[in-house]
Amino acid sequence: MRRAALALIVLAALISSPALAQQLDYELSESSQHFTLGLRVGAMFIIADEFKDIYGEEPLMAYGLSFGYKLVHHLEVIGEAGYANDRGTGVDPSGNKTGEDYRLHFAPASLGLLYRFDFAHEQVVVPYIGAGGDGAFYYEERIEGGDRTDGGVYGWHGVAGVQFLMDPLDRRAADNLEGDWGINDVYFVIEGRYAALDDFGKNQEQGKGNDLTHWFVSGGLMFQF
């Protein structure tokens, strides 16, 4: 009787071991999340009056790419880069339109810290906040004459957003992404960012026109792996 019971225990252990190993592998893979990659698109509102005089009140279509490394589960250091452009009409010192067409190319970048309020396994809604330093390169060209001016500005930013876990919408697709590409989670993200790009107020004090302080409201995808 004892031998039969022992045999049943051994048999049960052998049968359950693959499932146990699979579950252990799943938990280990879920815990090894170190990086994030974000892609987003949205509207950029540059607030300086000098910019609005030439390019108007309409927002710019802007694009962003981010890459983050998790220092701990909730806190991550994140680098971001973006691009936007706009077209406007020149003005003279009196504020009158000159009829000359201009195009602005604007490439901001930032490095900062992000804190995600992610406290549960596969939490569906995750708010986050962050802040950091910014820099931006820009160049402005007169379309007809070919004249070009360029430069750079620097400053800081603050950001807040909400990410929504998309994995529950299609578990099979989520499992395939994790198995084939190592992507643990996919989120849809809505974000608002304020970037003060005026050389920490010096451009405003000196009356310079290269103040690119802006709001950026965007949506996109974030991959966690």
Side-chain angles (χ1 to χ4, degrees), residues 60-159:
L60 288 70
M61 181 69 72
Y63 308 90
L65 172 69
S66 67
F67 184 79
Y69 175 74
K70 292 191 174 186
L71 301 175
V72 293
H73 179 68
H74 305 295
L75 186 65
E76 128 186 19
V77 59
I78 187 165
E80 305 187 51
Y83 173 76
N85 69 79
D86 203 0
R87 186 167 178 169
T89 305
V91 295
D92 60 24
S94 301
N96 300 314
K97 292 289 185 179
T98 63
E100 297 175 319
D101 291 329
Y102 285 84
R103 182 176 292 277
L104 175 73
H105 300 269
F106 175 41
S110 67
L111 182 66
L113 292 174
L114 206 66
Y115 187 89
R116 303 187 191 275
F117 296 87
D118 185 4
F119 301 118
H121 176 63
E122 292 204 334
Q123 184 174 321
V124 176
V125 180
V126 181
Y128 63 87
I129 57 173
D134 286 56
F137 171 78
Y138 67 90
Y139 77 86
E140 187 177 45
E141 56 183 343
R142 189 173 64 174
I143 295 175
E144 294 180 358
D147 297 336
R148 167 177 164 171
T149 59
D150 56 51
V153 288
Y154 55 90
W156 59 273
H157 76 269
V159 61

Side-chain angles (χ1 to χ4, degrees), residues 187-210:
Y187 294 89
F188 175 71
V189 178
I190 299 174
E191 181 179 290
R193 169 184 298 260
Y194 176 79
L197 284 168
D198 58 358
D199 292 349
F200 294 103
K202 293 181 181 178
N203 289 347
Q204 294 183 17
E205 295 173 0
Q206 298 172 5
K208 295 182 179 180
N210 53 348

Side-chain angles (χ1 to χ4, degrees), residues 1-10:
M1 186 68 180
R2 290 181 179 177
R3 291 181 179 179
L6 181 60
L8 288 174
I9 292 172
V10 171

Side-chain angles (χ1 to χ4, degrees), residues 39-44 61-65 189 191 216-221:
L39 307 168
R40 65 186 189 279
V41 61
M44 180 180 290
M61 181 69 72
Y63 308 90
L65 172 69
V189 178
E191 181 179 290
F216 182 30
V217 181
S218 64
L221 296 176

